[in-house]
Amino acid sequence: MPIIHSLRILHKNIYVIGQKLSKSDKLGIHKNIENLCFEILSLAIESAFTSKASKLCLLQKLRIKNEILKNMIRTENELGIIDSKTYFRLCENLIEIGKMATGWINY
């Protein structure tokens, strides 16, 4: 599934960014961002293996958590924890994932 692949790449990028942060940032907001990304990945995998009837609820949760993740990453950028270039790269991935989830819902 392309959405799962995109989420794995996003999680890998977030993990690599976390290795470069200070300990307080890494164990603060960034830890929550990494955990939320993992939750979204779990929802996508679970959606891939459930019936069509129960898939809609999981995908709606995925979209909501994706929006929360976007806002948390925006907060990280506003606090100066990550630079703008990193922020825009992550946001491009999140927008793509949101489009895929919406397309999967409409399918």
Side-chain angles (χ1 to χ4, degrees), residues 10-11 18 22 24 31 35 51 63-64 70 86 96-97 99-100 102 106:
L10 177 68
H11 187 264
S22 68
S24 62
K31 181 181 180 209
N35 289 338
S51 65
R63 285 177 58 203
I64 292 168
K70 280 184 200 176
T86 304
E96 178 187 347
I97 290 164
K99 287 179 182 179
M100 286 184 208
T102 302
N106 293 335

Side-chain angles (χ1 to χ4, degrees), residues 38-48 58 61-62 65:
F38 187 71
E39 286 179 39
I40 294 170
L41 177 61
S42 298
L43 285 170
I45 292 170
E46 192 175 343
S47 296
L58 292 171
K61 285 181 187 177
L62 187 148
K65 289 184 185 279

